[in-house]
Amino acid sequence: MNKGLRVITFEGVTKRYPDGTVAVDNLSLDVPDGSVTVFVGPSGCGKTTSLRMINRMIDATEGRIRLDGRDVKEIEPATLRRGIGYVIQQAGLFPHRRIVDNVATVPYLLGWDKKKARARAMELLERVGLDVKLAERYPFQLSGGQQQRVGVARALAADPPVLLMDEPFSAVDPIVRMSLQDELLRLQSELHKTIVFVTHDIDEAIKLGDRVAVMRVGGRLAQLSDPATLLRDPADDFVREFLGRDRGIRRLSFIPARSVRLSPPPADLVVEDGRPVGWQSGDGLQPYGSFDPETDSLRAALDAMLLSPNGLAVAVDGHGKVLGVAARDALDAALPGAADG
Amino acid sequence: MGDEPLVRWDWIARNWDNGTPYAIKALLEDHTVMAFLPVVFGLLIALPLGLACARWRVLYQPTTGLMNVIYSLPSLALFSILLSVTGLTRTTVIIPLTLFSLAVLIPAVVDGMTSVPDHVRQSAVAMGFRPLRRLLQVELPIAVPVVLAGLRVATVSSISLVSVGALIGQGGLGYLFIDGWQRQFPTPIVVGIALVTLLALVADLALILIQRWLTPWARARRAA
């Protein structure tokens, strides 16, 4: 497949049901090669419908969806779907098949021999961070988070260039969800798939998306932009409201903490072996907050300040050794309003 | 029945395999065949009908309605209707029992298909299964535990219902009830009851084992 052409294009796509309900209204957008585009919006905004029109689980009423320049309506549905990875909410694993055979589903459909398909499946289980000992188990023997990882492995099994993810992490608890999101970002940094991701959770959209398409009820696109722009410049009141409060704080997540000016650590910071232990206070130690200027964002730096009793964030390097401390005025100076205007 | 004992073991020994069609062993074999054939035929008919009802839900109400009407007919009435067509043969017993089993098996197939979780079906579609392969490799295997539960009910009730056929001379172990009643002789009746019960238990156990073997993945559901 031509790498340069691997894009999904919506051209004036409308889905209207026989009863007159419009699920998606004249949607036009591009999903660029190797990027994550997140469709986000309240229920009834047509985000899942839009996703399912790509692999023709739903057919568009008007307009055209192109995949690599080809109208998807010209491709036989089953053939089209075998070439597109799909991850569904609740994983949708086949309860009667062992994990390894679940992952090998599409290779089997494509007629690979069993040995090759299973070997590929084992490779993918490892890739998504699962113990290969789980391979011979049945889905009911796995936790929700593990099942969802299997779902991702299954979608990747035949190495499709495009991945569709339909609220894949919404049925697991918040901690598992966060680790699945991190895992997806890690995988994506290795695999560079073209991913369309649907969620109703704006925080998830901002965390995962290279671009975020905010949709409103009635299936209209409200705004399409990168997460930082979305937080800075919501197109209208609907988007502003959907983004919720503390947009400003959340924007800090997209600004690296590298530019924060550090001061030498004061005497009351107790350090052992180069690592911070706490703030001296009378006879005891008070807790401290720390951040890594190389990898963290301004949000983490601010958080570290709020966790320290004296408002000073401890900067540490990758090995946890103290680099210095940052005060609030250093944070202010690093803010885009002050620094890059 | 006077001072006749409940069971005369010597009668059982003499009649277990006495070379006549009324030997206990021969009756047990007859009973087994006449009980199982209706369930097998029933399953063969219920599968396509149940799949059709699951696919086109409007068919389901009328179909089960009809099946329940048939189920409510006394078997004797059905025998007498069929007698003029099929005579005093096994067929006259097997046809009504097949119809009765449908009243259990069609809903079992429909419930089995309904038991396939929507996200599983959706993901099969999204992976690129075409309808026939999806049915054979995903939907039917997942429906097996529910269908087998229906099959167990149908089998046990078929085993019990065969006895009625004795009234037209085709009732397997049911012959023993009539024989014992007519001669005021309790031993055949006791033997008949014991063997019918035993047959039902063995058949049920066999189906449970088949289910364990076919659906190792459903253990969680069984435990729940």
Side-chain angles (χ1 to χ4, degrees), chain A residues 283-298:
Chain A
D283 312 332
L285 284 178
Q286 293 264 18
Y288 70 95
S290 68
F291 70 104
D292 180 344
E294 277 311 305
T295 57
D296 279 335
S297 66
L298 285 189

PDB file of all heavy atoms in Angstrom, chain A residues 283-298:
ATOM      1  N   ASP A 283      10.446  19.331  63.986  1.00  0.00           N
ATOM      2  CA  ASP A 283      11.122  18.047  64.186  1.00  0.00           C
ATOM      3  C   ASP A 283      10.909  17.106  63.001  1.00  0.00           C
ATOM      4  O   ASP A 283      11.639  16.147  62.822  1.00  0.00           O
ATOM      5  CB  ASP A 283      10.559  17.316  65.429  1.00  0.00           C
ATOM      6  CG  ASP A 283      10.478  18.248  66.606  1.00  0.00           C
ATOM      7  OD1 ASP A 283      11.304  19.188  66.636  1.00  0.00           O
ATOM      8  OD2 ASP A 283       9.605  18.042  67.457  1.00  0.00           O
ATOM      9  N   GLY A 284       9.876  17.381  62.187  1.00  0.00           N
ATOM     10  CA  GLY A 284       9.511  16.374  61.166  1.00  0.00           C
ATOM     11  C   GLY A 284       9.779  16.834  59.750  1.00  0.00           C
ATOM     12  O   GLY A 284      10.368  17.883  59.485  1.00  0.00           O
ATOM     13  N   LEU A 285       9.329  15.981  58.834  1.00  0.00           N
ATOM     14  CA  LEU A 285       9.467  16.266  57.408  1.00  0.00           C
ATOM     15  C   LEU A 285       8.089  16.511  56.810  1.00  0.00           C
ATOM     16  O   LEU A 285       7.122  15.828  57.142  1.00  0.00           O
ATOM     17  CB  LEU A 285      10.106  15.064  56.697  1.00  0.00           C
ATOM     18  CG  LEU A 285      11.609  14.843  56.876  1.00  0.00           C
ATOM     19  CD1 LEU A 285      12.025  13.588  56.154  1.00  0.00           C
ATOM     20  CD2 LEU A 285      12.391  16.046  56.381  1.00  0.00           C
ATOM     21  N   GLN A 286       8.012  17.499  55.933  1.00  0.00           N
ATOM     22  CA  GLN A 286       6.772  17.742  55.199  1.00  0.00           C
ATOM     23  C   GLN A 286       6.924  17.152  53.798  1.00  0.00           C
ATOM     24  O   GLN A 286       8.026  17.115  53.257  1.00  0.00           O
ATOM     25  CB  GLN A 286       6.536  19.251  55.082  1.00  0.00           C
ATOM     26  CG  GLN A 286       6.244  19.926  56.405  1.00  0.00           C
ATOM     27  CD  GLN A 286       4.746  20.070  56.637  1.00  0.00           C
ATOM     28  OE1 GLN A 286       3.953  19.396  55.989  1.00  0.00           O
ATOM     29  NE2 GLN A 286       4.385  20.917  57.578  1.00  0.00           N
ATOM     30  N   PRO A 287       5.836  16.698  53.205  1.00  0.00           N
ATOM     31  CA  PRO A 287       5.943  16.119  51.864  1.00  0.00           C
ATOM     32  C   PRO A 287       6.347  17.173  50.818  1.00  0.00           C
ATOM     33  O   PRO A 287       6.159  18.369  51.042  1.00  0.00           O
ATOM     34  CB  PRO A 287       4.542  15.595  51.581  1.00  0.00           C
ATOM     35  CG  PRO A 287       3.653  16.383  52.473  1.00  0.00           C
ATOM     36  CD  PRO A 287       4.459  16.706  53.699  1.00  0.00           C
ATOM     37  N   TYR A 288       6.895  16.668  49.722  1.00  0.00           N
ATOM     38  CA  TYR A 288       7.297  17.564  48.635  1.00  0.00           C
ATOM     39  C   TYR A 288       6.653  17.108  47.335  1.00  0.00           C
ATOM     40  O   TYR A 288       6.211  15.964  47.220  1.00  0.00           O
ATOM     41  CB  TYR A 288       8.835  17.550  48.495  1.00  0.00           C
ATOM     42  CG  TYR A 288       9.351  16.233  47.951  1.00  0.00           C
ATOM     43  CD1 TYR A 288       9.601  16.068  46.596  1.00  0.00           C
ATOM     44  CD2 TYR A 288       9.542  15.146  48.799  1.00  0.00           C
ATOM     45  CE1 TYR A 288      10.041  14.858  46.102  1.00  0.00           C
ATOM     46  CE2 TYR A 288       9.989  13.931  48.314  1.00  0.00           C
ATOM     47  CZ  TYR A 288      10.232  13.792  46.958  1.00  0.00           C
ATOM     48  OH  TYR A 288      10.657  12.597  46.465  1.00  0.00           O
ATOM     49  N   GLY A 289       6.607  18.015  46.357  1.00  0.00           N
ATOM     50  CA  GLY A 289       6.150  17.632  45.023  1.00  0.00           C
ATOM     51  C   GLY A 289       7.286  17.813  44.044  1.00  0.00           C
ATOM     52  O   GLY A 289       8.077  18.749  44.175  1.00  0.00           O
ATOM     53  N   SER A 290       7.402  16.888  43.077  1.00  0.00           N
ATOM     54  CA  SER A 290       8.521  16.995  42.149  1.00  0.00           C
ATOM     55  C   SER A 290       8.056  16.849  40.705  1.00  0.00           C
ATOM     56  O   SER A 290       6.967  16.335  40.433  1.00  0.00           O
ATOM     57  CB  SER A 290       9.572  15.930  42.463  1.00  0.00           C
ATOM     58  OG  SER A 290       9.054  14.654  42.167  1.00  0.00           O
ATOM     59  N   PHE A 291       8.872  17.324  39.790  1.00  0.00           N
ATOM     60  CA  PHE A 291       8.608  17.143  38.362  1.00  0.00           C
ATOM     61  C   PHE A 291       9.929  16.988  37.633  1.00  0.00           C
ATOM     62  O   PHE A 291      10.986  17.359  38.147  1.00  0.00           O
ATOM     63  CB  PHE A 291       7.807  18.322  37.799  1.00  0.00           C
ATOM     64  CG  PHE A 291       8.593  19.615  37.717  1.00  0.00           C
ATOM     65  CD1 PHE A 291       9.078  20.067  36.500  1.00  0.00           C
ATOM     66  CD2 PHE A 291       8.837  20.367  38.859  1.00  0.00           C
ATOM     67  CE1 PHE A 291       9.795  21.256  36.419  1.00  0.00           C
ATOM     68  CE2 PHE A 291       9.567  21.550  38.781  1.00  0.00           C
ATOM     69  CZ  PHE A 291      10.046  22.005  37.570  1.00  0.00           C
ATOM     70  N   ASP A 292       9.864  16.385  36.435  1.00  0.00           N
ATOM     71  CA  ASP A 292      11.054  16.205  35.619  1.00  0.00           C
ATOM     72  C   ASP A 292      10.981  17.194  34.459  1.00  0.00           C
ATOM     73  O   ASP A 292      10.139  17.041  33.573  1.00  0.00           O
ATOM     74  CB  ASP A 292      11.101  14.759  35.102  1.00  0.00           C
ATOM     75  CG  ASP A 292      12.328  14.500  34.230  1.00  0.00           C
ATOM     76  OD1 ASP A 292      12.963  15.481  33.787  1.00  0.00           O
ATOM     77  OD2 ASP A 292      12.626  13.323  33.985  1.00  0.00           O
ATOM     78  N   PRO A 293      11.792  18.236  34.443  1.00  0.00           N
ATOM     79  CA  PRO A 293      11.673  19.274  33.407  1.00  0.00           C
ATOM     80  C   PRO A 293      11.838  18.725  31.993  1.00  0.00           C
ATOM     81  O   PRO A 293      11.320  19.304  31.036  1.00  0.00           O
ATOM     82  CB  PRO A 293      12.820  20.240  33.740  1.00  0.00           C
ATOM     83  CG  PRO A 293      13.237  19.923  35.127  1.00  0.00           C
ATOM     84  CD  PRO A 293      12.897  18.494  35.374  1.00  0.00           C
ATOM     85  N   GLU A 294      12.542  17.603  31.862  1.00  0.00           N
ATOM     86  CA  GLU A 294      12.760  17.066  30.523  1.00  0.00           C
ATOM     87  C   GLU A 294      11.526  16.389  29.951  1.00  0.00           C
ATOM     88  O   GLU A 294      11.297  16.424  28.752  1.00  0.00           O
ATOM     89  CB  GLU A 294      13.932  16.063  30.541  1.00  0.00           C
ATOM     90  CG  GLU A 294      15.293  16.706  30.448  1.00  0.00           C
ATOM     91  CD  GLU A 294      15.373  17.735  29.309  1.00  0.00           C
ATOM     92  OE1 GLU A 294      15.068  17.342  28.159  1.00  0.00           O
ATOM     93  OE2 GLU A 294      15.708  18.902  29.557  1.00  0.00           O
ATOM     94  N   THR A 295      10.746  15.728  30.797  1.00  0.00           N
ATOM     95  CA  THR A 295       9.626  14.939  30.268  1.00  0.00           C
ATOM     96  C   THR A 295       8.251  15.468  30.680  1.00  0.00           C
ATOM     97  O   THR A 295       7.257  15.144  30.053  1.00  0.00           O
ATOM     98  CB  THR A 295       9.727  13.482  30.741  1.00  0.00           C
ATOM     99  OG1 THR A 295       9.770  13.481  32.170  1.00  0.00           O
ATOM    100  CG2 THR A 295      10.984  12.801  30.208  1.00  0.00           C
ATOM    101  N   ASP A 296       8.198  16.278  31.753  1.00  0.00           N
ATOM    102  CA  ASP A 296       6.888  16.699  32.253  1.00  0.00           C
ATOM    103  C   ASP A 296       6.425  18.014  31.618  1.00  0.00           C
ATOM    104  O   ASP A 296       7.174  18.711  30.953  1.00  0.00           O
ATOM    105  CB  ASP A 296       6.934  16.832  33.776  1.00  0.00           C
ATOM    106  CG  ASP A 296       6.792  15.475  34.461  1.00  0.00           C
ATOM    107  OD1 ASP A 296       6.201  14.565  33.845  1.00  0.00           O
ATOM    108  OD2 ASP A 296       7.286  15.328  35.596  1.00  0.00           O
ATOM    109  N   SER A 297       5.157  18.309  31.894  1.00  0.00           N
ATOM    110  CA  SER A 297       4.559  19.532  31.367  1.00  0.00           C
ATOM    111  C   SER A 297       4.457  20.568  32.490  1.00  0.00           C
ATOM    112  O   SER A 297       4.708  20.267  33.659  1.00  0.00           O
ATOM    113  CB  SER A 297       3.163  19.225  30.848  1.00  0.00           C
ATOM    114  OG  SER A 297       2.339  18.862  31.945  1.00  0.00           O
ATOM    115  N   LEU A 298       4.053  21.774  32.100  1.00  0.00           N
ATOM    116  CA  LEU A 298       3.843  22.816  33.109  1.00  0.00           C
ATOM    117  C   LEU A 298       2.785  22.408  34.126  1.00  0.00           C
ATOM    118  O   LEU A 298       2.819  22.816  35.280  1.00  0.00           O
ATOM    119  CB  LEU A 298       3.413  24.134  32.434  1.00  0.00           C
ATOM    120  CG  LEU A 298       4.495  24.927  31.710  1.00  0.00           C
ATOM    121  CD1 LEU A 298       3.933  26.293  31.307  1.00  0.00           C
ATOM    122  CD2 LEU A 298       5.728  25.120  32.587  1.00  0.00           C
TER     123      LEU A 298
END
